Amino acid sequence: MNGRSLIGGAGDAFPRPLWRDPFGNKAGEATRKGFLQLTLALARGPAQQEREEETAMEDSPTMVKVDRGENQGSPCQRRRCLPKTLGYITGDMKEFANWIKDKPLVLQFIDWVLRGISQVALVNNPISGILILVGLLVQSPWLALNGYVGTVVSTMTALLLSQDRSAIAAGLHGYNATLVGILIAVFSDKGDYFWWLLFPVSAMSMTCPLFSSALSSIFCKWDLPVFTLPFNMVLSMYLSATGHYNPFFPTISFTPVSSVPNVTWPDLSALQLLKSLPVGVGQIYGCENPWTGGIFLCAILLSSPLMCLHATIGSLMGMVAALSISAPFKDIYFGLWSFNSSLACIAIGGMFMALTWQTHLLALACALFTAYLGGSMMHVMAAVGLPCGTWPFCLATLLFLLLTTKNPSIYKMPLNKVTYPEENRIFYLQAKRRMVESPL
């Protein structure tokens, strides 16, 4: 090439304009050169293309830089910008969390509370938290108020106890109290808007960071999450202390089944079974409204489509398990067989285990196991006048996370690396690649 570049250097410029005669011999030469420059520029990308055109302008005074103002709003560029914009509001919104760190504490606190509300469904996204709060308002403003008060009180208590700030910012000291506030209101025999109930809600919510911190110090030895164990302990403590005949804060009565349920298979409604899918997801927050469950699914979908998929599959697995042992239809329609299995399917299907087809099958097995465990615990705990809560989800999922195997495709995520399924899978693939490159 004699040291000459394909696009022309400072010494390659022609002493006179190429286009002195539109129909002369130089016209073909300029055309061929122009096509060659265009082909190379397109192959090397927009940024390099612009730099090379600027160089070409300096080299040849007859070459004009093209104005890209018309192309900036092209449909292709808009399509590229849309996924980038969605990236800021999906997943765990890490960019937003980093941006808000140096903002006023009030704004940070609102973000923490919203993330705490969404963490009930294993989601770490403030916009999802807003959607879930809207779903709670659709179900009952009273339930939404109690859940919000519980989250605020618990988060403030964690701050006063000087808990890990990153855990507080992720909502990990708020979500148990969200459930405590909602379920205390659900199980209250005084009905809605019994304002004195906010006192026990606040008091019980203050104990959630205590249970979370204590259990975390134990479970960290096995690198396990505490899930909703603090909620189950606090709720069981409250319901046992008050009960149905308490003069101040009476609760509804839980009685075991004492007769054979009337199950008539011709009465089984396909429409009711279809509605029970979102209802099962809604029951994660103690809500039986299918519209509320649909909003919750949208909130989960915003954060992670894989989580939304497994939440729906888990709800379906709970329904299948209930039908397989002829459970009362009203319990199935009410979502009582589905919410624990939905949570379990999310946890194993990509959240705390990297998603592969093996862990996907494991998530289905965990969802079925959780549903059957929930059915048995409903009868056992009703004998002592308590609901089963999310005990089945916690026990079954912890059991599956403690599973030991030599199959490298069943990969348990390090707890400090857990984000959301799509990001977890990227981490798993990178770790797998590093192991292949340096097995020692």
Side-chain angles (χ1 to χ4, degrees), residues 21 109 158-159 161 223 236 255 280 305 309 324 329 341 346 373 392 423:
D21 182 2
F109 189 81
L159 284 172
L161 293 175
D223 201 30
S236 298
T255 56
L309 174 65
S324 69
F329 294 158
S341 56
I346 293 173
L373 180 62
E423 190 71 20

Side-chain angles (χ1 to χ4, degrees), residues 121-332:
L122 304 178
V123 172
N124 182 14
N125 188 305
I127 298 181
S128 295
I130 294 174
L131 290 176
I132 290 170
L133 200 56
V134 170
L136 290 171
L137 288 170
V138 171
Q139 173 69 37
S140 167
W142 176 242
L143 295 186
L145 175 63
N146 280 271
Y148 183 79
V149 168
T151 312
V152 169
V153 171
S154 180
T155 305
M156 292 181 64
T157 304
L159 284 172
L160 293 174
L161 293 175
S162 300
Q163 296 298 296
D164 180 60
R165 183 60 68 92
S166 63
I168 297 175
L172 297 180
H173 283 289
Y175 70 96
N176 281 291
T178 304
L179 287 176
V180 167
I182 293 173
L183 271 299
I184 285 180
V186 168
F187 295 141
S188 174
D189 206 28
K190 287 285 189 177
D192 291 350
Y193 303 105
F194 177 59
W195 297 103
W196 292 105
L197 194 66
L198 293 176
F199 286 98
V201 166
S202 300
M204 293 294 101
S205 297
M206 292 175 67
T207 65
C208 288
L210 301 176
F211 282 102
S212 296
S213 181
L215 290 172
S216 295
S217 64
I218 298 173
F219 283 20
C220 68
K221 298 177 181 179
W222 298 280
D223 201 30
L224 293 173
V226 299
F227 289 129
T228 52
L229 284 174
F231 151 70
N232 289 307
M233 294 177 176
V234 171
L235 184 67
S236 298
M237 181 174 64
Y238 171 79
L239 294 178
S240 300
T242 54
H244 182 59
Y245 301 103
N246 187 277
F248 290 160
F249 306 107
T251 62
I252 62 176
S253 178
F254 297 94
T255 56
V257 178
S258 57
S259 61
V260 178
N262 184 18
V263 178
T264 307
W265 286 97
D267 294 338
L268 185 64
S269 171
L271 179 61
Q272 291 296 325
L273 288 178
L274 183 63
K275 287 171 60 178
S276 69
L277 288 177
V279 170
V281 177
Q283 283 289 4
I284 294 174
Y285 288 84
C287 302
E288 77 278 1
N289 190 324
W291 292 105
T292 297
I295 295 174
F296 292 167
L297 280 173
C298 291
I300 298 172
L301 176 66
L302 177 67
S303 176
S304 167
L306 288 176
M307 289 181 68
C308 182
L309 174 65
H310 282 89
T312 307
I313 293 176
S315 184
L316 177 63
M317 290 296 101
M319 181 204 308
V320 170
L323 292 173
S324 69
I325 59 174
S326 189
F329 294 158
K330 62 181 181 66
D331 291 345
I332 302 175

Side-chain angles (χ1 to χ4, degrees), residues 17-19 30 34 37-38 49-68:
L18 289 174
W19 288 87
Q37 290 174 345
L38 177 62
Q49 178 184 355
E50 185 171 344
R51 290 194 302 268
E52 291 178 355
E53 285 183 356
E54 291 174 353
T55 305
M57 276 200 58
E58 296 174 358
D59 296 342
S60 178
T62 59
M63 296 179 67
V64 181
K65 182 179 176 181
V66 179
D67 184 10
R68 289 183 178 79

Side-chain angles (χ1 to χ4, degrees), residues 77-113:
Q77 289 184 340
R78 285 197 296 268
R79 284 195 295 268
R80 286 197 296 268
C81 289
L82 184 60
K84 185 178 180 180
T85 304
L86 288 176
Y88 288 112
I89 62 174
T90 56
D92 56 1
M93 290 184 64
K94 185 177 179 180
E95 293 82 4
F96 178 78
N98 293 332
W99 173 82
I100 206 172
K101 281 181 180 178
D102 57 349
K103 299 301 180 288
L105 185 60
V106 174
L107 294 178
Q108 295 184 54
F109 189 81
I110 294 173
D111 177 60
W112 301 342
V113 170

